[in-house]
Structures are given as C-alpha cells and as structure tokens.
Amino acid sequence: MKRRLFLRTLPILALSPLALSEKGFAGSSNPRHLIALGTAASRVATKNWDSLNFDSLTLIDSEPLELMREDSKFFEFFSSELIYSVVGDICILENGYLPILPVPKEIEDHLRSLDGELVFYAGLGKAIGSVLFQSFGVHYKNHNQSHEWVATLPFNFEGIKKVERARSVLAVLAENGIEPSYLSLEELRPQLGNILVRLAFEKGDEWILEALNNQI
C-alpha cells in the first residue's frame, strides 16, 4: 500500500461528491481489515460500512455501540470511568499525556488471525481513541501482516488540549517507527466557511471515508 500525505492531498476531495466503490475485496488475494479504535471511529465505520472497501470490521472501545452490526467483531478495552484518575495501576498525568496500555491477549490473537492488511483507524483528541491508537501502535507487532495507521486530528474549536493530545499521540507512534497518515479536520474549515458544527463533523466523516477507500 502506497502511503499518502492526506493532509495535503485530500482537502480537495472534502467538498466533492464521494466516489465510493462497491465492495469488491472479499475473497481477494490481499484482504483488507478495518480496526476501528475508540467511539468516534467505531461509529463512523459502523454507520458507513456498506460504503467501505474492507473485508472485515473490528471495533475496539470502552463499551459496545447501541447499534452493532452482526458481521462486526467487538472487543471491550479500556474503561472510560477511569480516564480521569488511573487506568489499572497506571496514572494519567495532568499534563494531558495518556497511558500506553498492553494489548490484551484475546484481542492480539484475533488480530493475528486476520490474513492480509490491517488498517488501524482512530479519531484522536478524546481520551479513549487516543489511548487505544498509541497503545496498539506501540505494542501490536506482526511482521506477517501489512499495517496502516490512519487518524483524524480534531477541529481547533474542540479545544487546544484535544489538539495537543492528538499530536502527542502521533509523536509517540513516530518514536516507535510508525508514521500514521492523518487528516487534520481544521484544514477543512477554509473550504467550509461558516457552517454548523454538525455539518463540519459530517464533512469530516466524508473526508475520512474517502481516505480509507483510497488507501490502495
């Protein structure tokens, strides 16, 4: 898979009609598997699954979504009730740095059983998606698979702490030899103009769908 600099190449796509392909990867010689980390990524992937070119969907979050697809696989990992103090015996620092947690064996065994390419996707900024993205980036290794890492960075209006947290996660992965492809949602704003927050997030979802489907 050729790595793309989404930050520079995809803003043009954000306001254009989506060119989403029909599913055609199942049974191919190089299956693709989407691993959605955190609530935001899980919701986008579940809602738009029929328009995504992947063979399987794995959701990893602190709790299951209200509407789960029967053909997806869900794993509970990381309790949101603990993010304000400790996760297990690991304290979250007040400066915004989040812990890097080991990957549970059950999840690791599932990921290793997937043949082909794994695309890890998360919306960075909030605690759960950020913790999961950096934890899997640091701890999950399998040289028999191809791994891609795709993330969104929050709009500035979501708060400077979330933006800084997202960039710190990218730095953690870079320190571990991983260069994620990321979409800075703030780059959409000059094109969107003065629109409702809800519409801004919808355009952000369209943007990430284009990115995921064009990672070929």
Side-chain angles (χ1 to χ4, degrees), residues 137-157:
V138 170
H139 288 299
Y140 182 72
K141 310 294 181 184
N142 188 346
H143 298 298
N144 295 321
Q145 296 168 320
S146 173
H147 299 160
E148 287 293 327
W149 302 84
V150 180
T152 56
L153 277 61
F155 290 104
N156 286 350
F157 62 69

Side-chain angles (χ1 to χ4, degrees), residues 14-15 42 104 115-116 123 126 132 143-144 156 167 175 192 197:
L15 298 182
S42 295
D115 179 39
K126 292 184 178 179
L132 294 181
H143 298 298
N144 295 321
N156 286 350
R167 295 200 174 273
E175 291 171 357
L192 297 176
V197 171

Side-chain angles (χ1 to χ4, degrees), residues 152-155 158 183-189 201 204 207:
T152 56
L153 277 61
F155 290 104
E158 296 182 67
L183 310 170
S184 176
L185 296 180
E186 186 62 23
E187 294 295 313
L188 288 173
R189 296 192 70 189
F201 281 110
W207 198 9

Side-chain angles (χ1 to χ4, degrees), residues 8-214:
R8 297 178 182 173
T9 62
L10 283 185
I12 297 174
L13 298 176
L15 298 182
S16 63
L18 290 179
L20 300 178
S21 303
E22 296 292 331
K23 279 187 177 294
F25 287 82
S28 67
S29 59
N30 187 34
R32 303 177 76 221
H33 307 281
L34 183 60
I35 316 300
L37 303 174
T39 305
S42 295
R43 285 176 176 169
V44 171
T46 298
K47 179 181 178 181
N48 300 283
W49 179 242
D50 291 334
S51 297
L52 285 167
N53 292 327
F54 289 87
D55 293 87
S56 74
L57 173 61
T58 299
L59 309 174
I60 303 174
D61 199 359
S62 61
E63 58 185 23
L65 300 177
E66 292 184 3
L67 298 177
M68 296 280 292
R69 295 185 60 94
E70 293 183 359
D71 55 353
S72 65
K73 183 74 173 179
F74 172 77
F75 291 95
E76 184 174 346
F77 179 31
F78 182 68
S79 173
S80 60
E81 297 178 355
L82 301 176
I83 65 176
Y84 301 107
S85 53
V86 296
V87 178
D89 58 352
I90 306 173
C91 293
I92 295 177
L93 303 178
E94 292 183 358
N95 61 8
Y97 290 99
L98 296 173
I100 299 172
L101 305 177
V103 178
K105 185 178 184 303
E106 180 186 15
I107 300 178
E108 183 169 332
D109 288 345
H110 166 70
L111 296 178
R112 289 183 180 277
S113 72
L114 300 175
D115 179 39
E117 182 175 58
L118 274 58
V119 178
F120 293 87
Y121 156 50
L124 301 182
K126 292 184 178 179
I128 297 176
S130 300
V131 167
L132 294 181
F133 200 70
Q134 67 180 17
S135 296
F136 279 85
V138 170
H139 288 299
Y140 182 72
K141 310 294 181 184
N142 188 346
H143 298 298
N144 295 321
Q145 296 168 320
S146 173
H147 299 160
E148 287 293 327
W149 302 84
V150 180
T152 56
L153 277 61
F155 290 104
N156 286 350
F157 62 69
E158 296 182 67
I160 188 62
K161 288 186 177 180
K162 289 183 179 179
V163 175
E164 291 177 347
R165 179 183 293 163
R167 295 200 174 273
S168 72
V169 171
L170 296 180
V172 167
L173 267 67
E175 291 171 357
N176 285 270
I178 297 174
E179 183 183 353
S181 299
Y182 64 91
L183 310 170
S184 176
L185 296 180
E186 186 62 23
E187 294 295 313
L188 288 173
R189 296 192 70 189
Q191 300 178 55
L192 297 176
N194 186 22
I195 67 170
L196 297 175
V197 171
R198 176 180 58 81
L199 293 178
F201 281 110
E202 288 178 359
K203 290 298 182 183
D205 290 349
E206 291 181 9
W207 198 9
I208 190 65
L209 292 174
E210 286 275 7
L212 293 170
N213 271 344
N214 285 283

